[in-house]
Amino acid sequence: MPFLPLSTILSLRKELEGTAAEILTWGSDGYGDSIKQWSDSCDEQVGAVVRVTSAGEAAAVVRFAACHEIPFAVKGGGYSTSRASTARGGIVLDLLYLRRVNVDPVSQVLTAQGGVLWEDIDVAAAQYGLAVVGSTLNHIGVAGATLGGGYGWLTGQYGLAIDNLLWAKMILADGSVVTASEDQNQDLFWAIRGAGQSFGVAIEMSFRAHKQNHPVFAGTLLFSADKLPRIVDFVNRFETITNGKQGFWFGFTASPSMAECAILVVVFYNGNQTDAEEFFSPVLSLDPVVNETQMLPYDSLNGMLNAMDTMSRRRSHEGFDIMFPVDEIVGPRKSLRGSNITLPLDPKLAISIYHEFGGILRNFSTARDSILLFELLPNTQVAKVHNDATAFASRGPYYNASSLFRWHDPRLDEEIHSLQTGLMDRIGTCAGIRVRSDYNVTMHGTGIYANYAGILTGVAPQMYNN
């Protein structure tokens, strides 16, 4: 049975007696909802979910789990597809109630509790004309994303989230609470910036904020497959024309409005619409099938991909043999994997990857909601920090590639994972940094973004903020 003994549950309740912590176990109201993850493939029957309201309560749970040698995980946003935020038969420390954000507009410093989502930070900072380098999806947890590095649309100007992290309050495995910063516990501060999910529970974090008192130009576009070579041509010129205020993603996905796999483009420009449209004119002039670019307030920017992240597509088009019941939710099982590319990108390789990805969508109809992206965020600021300055070891001349596969049938798990891994490995093998003859791991890093690795990393897998 994947449950804790009753005696252990009673001991846990006694440990937290007199606190506001909420303990959910099998059979109790809310238990079923409490174990739900973003991906159904990560749902696990756990011994207990403990929702805490303070650092002291969280420390008591960590100490209890360690003393009793109970499998343990931390749930922030619950966004991991690798089961990092659940513990079968063990204890899940749920930070759902720790979502307070404090902004000091004078010092331009923002402090967030461990359960804060990026949406919380974006909205709070915007009240003072500020922004923090953060995720490109606003419904994921701040702590988990930051501890793995933290790319965002502002990375081209200000670096990674960890490059703007001032300090973090950490709960260690023995239940002690320490502050890690440049001045305190420096070794721990080095480690949590890039490999931080394995060293403790980030119960509070403080970030440097930046002035952002104007809207930005951003949005998504869809193109037919014949436009891919010209889009790749723009990609190969991106490094020479960006000043750090732009971002350009492109990739492949199925669209309800198109019979074949579409070319998806996501653009970002931290400036006015006239300048943005001039910068992206080589792409905007390609007659997109869908153009949803517009001026946006920054605090809504990181929600622009949320609809694509959660939407269900049920139509059947020629080339995609799909018939779903009306009430079917497509693609609840999810798997995230990453790789990297260097420029220039070979257009023939891009076309080949497009056909391979499209073939997977045709052969596995319930995986049609999957997406593959090449993420060009200017890396000049990232590279200014030496690879050994933090535990984040991917500060080289390359860009992230990511794939998020979604499917419905658990019997397809192994096959989908194999196809996804093979595809991402091929991208890295053919276009990644390791292909270069001058590749040096000390100089260029690993080329693997921890948040896209899709596997658990580190030496202490009982500690996670996902």
Side-chain angles (χ1 to χ4, degrees):
M1 291 287 289
F3 307 117
L4 295 176
L6 177 59
S7 58
T8 304
I9 295 293
L10 293 176
S11 296
L12 176 60
R13 291 189 184 279
K14 184 176 181 180
E15 183 76 22
L16 294 172
E17 189 175 5
T19 73
E22 179 182 0
I23 303 175
L24 301 171
T25 58
W26 185 83
S28 63
D29 290 342
Y31 171 80
D33 289 337
S34 73
I35 64 173
K36 293 292 291 181
Q37 302 282 316
W38 179 64
S39 170
D40 281 3
S41 58
C42 296
D43 292 350
E44 294 277 17
Q45 297 290 334
V46 303
V49 175
V50 186
R51 290 175 172 167
V52 296
T53 63
S54 70
E57 294 171 2
V61 176
V62 172
R63 187 165 48 249
F64 182 90
C67 289
H68 292 80
E69 298 183 341
I70 299 171
F72 175 78
V74 183
K75 182 179 179 181
Y79 200 81
S80 168
T81 66
S82 62
R83 295 187 173 91
S85 50
T86 189
R88 182 172 180 79
I91 293 175
V92 171
L93 178 64
D94 191 342
L95 306 183
L96 174 68
Y97 299 142
L98 296 179
R99 289 183 63 176
R100 185 176 298 116
V101 178
N102 180 70
V103 182
D104 184 338
V106 177
S107 62
Q108 295 184 199
V109 171
L110 182 147
T111 303
Q113 291 184 311
V116 164
L117 306 182
W118 281 111
E119 179 182 21
D120 303 329
I121 283 186
D122 291 340
V123 172
Q127 308 306 307
Y128 302 94
L130 299 172
V132 172
V133 177
S135 175
T136 52
L137 290 173
N138 67 11
H139 56 271
I140 71 174
V142 169
T146 298
L147 296 175
Y151 285 90
W153 294 114
L154 296 179
T155 287
Q157 292 177 260
Y158 309 118
L160 302 167
I162 56 170
D163 299 332
N164 293 272
L165 181 64
L166 300 174
W167 55 262
K169 185 180 293 185
M170 305 292 297
I171 303 174
L172 305 184
D174 62 358
S176 60
V177 182
V178 302
T179 297
S181 69
E182 293 286 4
D183 301 318
Q184 305 177 68
N185 298 294
Q186 293 95 333
D187 288 348
L188 179 60
F189 192 53
W190 178 92
I192 65 172
R193 288 177 293 167
Q197 295 99 328
S198 297
F199 292 94
V201 180
I203 201 69
E204 193 172 33
M205 310 179 87
S206 185
F207 298 90
R208 182 182 302 106
H210 303 275
K211 283 291 184 183
Q212 186 67 43
N213 53 12
H214 59 269
V216 301
F217 180 84
T220 59
L221 304 101
L222 291 178
F223 295 90
S224 55
D226 60 297
K227 305 298 173 54
L228 182 55
R230 294 178 66 183
I231 291 172
V232 173
D233 179 63
F234 177 82
V235 165
N236 287 336
R237 292 189 288 117
F238 181 78
E239 288 181 329
T240 64
I241 60 177
T242 181
N243 61 4
K245 295 184 178 182
Q246 302 81 18
F248 187 84
W249 292 13
F250 81 101
F252 318 126
T253 189
S255 168
S257 61
M258 299 175 69
E260 62 178 353
C261 190
I263 311 302
L264 170 67
V265 167
V266 187
V267 299
F268 166 75
Y269 190 101
N270 196 1
N272 64 66
Q273 184 164 348
T274 299
D275 292 343
E277 290 180 340
E278 180 179 356
F279 182 88
F280 292 117
S281 60
V283 175
L284 296 175
S285 64
L286 294 179
D287 190 24
V289 176
V290 175
N291 183 345
E292 295 183 343
T293 57
Q294 58 184 309
M295 295 299 294
L296 294 169
Y298 184 84
D299 57 328
S300 65
L301 166 68
N302 293 326
M304 70 177 176
L305 294 179
N306 288 359
M308 297 194 63
D309 181 56
T310 58
M311 71 168 56
S312 299
R313 302 183 175 103
R314 304 187 181 95
R315 298 186 187 179
S316 179
H317 289 284
E318 182 181 354
F320 292 99
D321 184 16
I322 301 176
M323 295 184 66
F324 296 132
V326 159
D327 60 349
E328 184 103 32
I329 298 177
V330 181
R333 308 180 74 79
K334 303 178 181 72
S335 175
L336 177 65
R337 292 287 189 277
S339 187
N340 71 89
I341 61 168
T342 56
L343 301 182
L345 180 64
D346 183 354
K348 292 181 179 179
L349 175 62
I351 293 171
S352 174
I353 296 296
Y354 166 83
H355 286 301
E356 182 175 346
F357 181 76
I360 295 174
L361 302 195
R362 283 191 296 273
N363 292 333
F364 297 90
S365 59
T366 60
R368 190 172 183 263
D369 206 26
S370 304
I371 189 169
L372 172 65
L373 285 168
F374 302 96
E375 306 173 0
L376 273 68
L377 295 171
N379 52 29
T380 302
Q381 296 300 321
V382 176
K384 285 183 177 180
V385 180
H386 198 274
N387 265 310
D388 63 6
T390 67
F392 185 85
S394 294
R395 299 180 184 272
Y398 42 81
Y399 301 91
N400 290 322
S402 67
S403 64
L404 181 62
F405 274 65
R406 306 178 179 95
W407 65 101
H408 189 68
D409 188 348
R411 293 172 297 182
L412 296 176
D413 286 3
E414 185 175 346
E415 192 166 8
I416 293 293
H417 281 299
S418 177
L419 288 167
Q420 181 185 30
T421 300
L423 178 60
M424 300 312 292
D425 285 349
R426 183 181 170 217
I427 291 172
T429 299
C430 296
I433 184 62
R434 293 175 183 267
V435 179
R436 286 179 40 161
S437 59
D438 64 342
Y439 172 69
N440 180 289
V441 67
T442 302
M443 181 184 302
H444 299 130
T446 64
I448 300 175
Y449 180 33
N451 288 343
Y452 287 174
I455 56 175
L456 302 185
T457 57
V459 295
Q462 68 269 34
M463 293 289 188
Y464 288 93
N465 278 76
N466 284 289

